[in-house]
Amino acid sequence: MADVRLNIAGRTYDLTCADGEEPQLQKLAGLIDEKVRAIPGSTEVRQLLFAALMLADEAQEAKAKVDRSEPQSDSLRAAVALAECRETQARDELAAARREIEALKAAPPPAVAAAPRTTHDRALLQIADRIEALAAKVEQSA
């Protein structure tokens, strides 16, 4: 345990605290002393009471701000989680696309398919078939 001497409103207070907490207690005593000195012309007890009330009010306002910001931070956490999930999906899709590209590069080139025949080509083939059939008939009859 450590002993610490605090000075608030010109009065000295000796306290005992856990080792290492002395700087924090000095800092808090400085805040209280600052508030007490801002309240002129009252008794020491009244000054300490008003200082405590002002500090409690500040603490309550700070807590209210934290409470108001918590839903926003929850929304931000959800947005970050969604973004991370989408990033993972995008990385997976990119890796799959890279594997597919490598597989296509390694595979032999595909055979070139015959170009589809147009309607005119089919008509010409039908006419050629008829001419051959007529030629065959002429040869048989001769």
Side-chain angles (χ1 to χ4, degrees), residues 90-113:
R91 286 181 190 271
D92 292 346
E93 290 173 10
L94 179 61
R98 285 182 176 156
R99 287 191 300 272
E100 187 176 343
I101 288 171
E102 291 304 317
L104 289 172
K105 284 180 181 177
V112 177

Side-chain angles (χ1 to χ4, degrees), residues 12 23 37 39 41 43 53 55-56 65 70 72 74 81-83 92-94 108 112 127-128:
T12 302
R37 293 186 186 279
I39 306 166
T43 64
L53 288 171
L55 290 169
K65 284 182 183 178
E70 281 181 0
Q72 291 174 344
D74 289 344
L82 179 61
D92 292 346
E93 290 173 10
L94 179 61
V112 177
I127 292 170

Side-chain angles (χ1 to χ4, degrees), residues 6-8 25-35:
L6 306 176
N7 190 348
I8 300 173
L25 280 176
Q26 291 286 352
K27 182 178 177 182
L28 294 173
L31 289 172
I32 295 169
D33 187 56
E34 183 181 316
K35 295 292 181 187

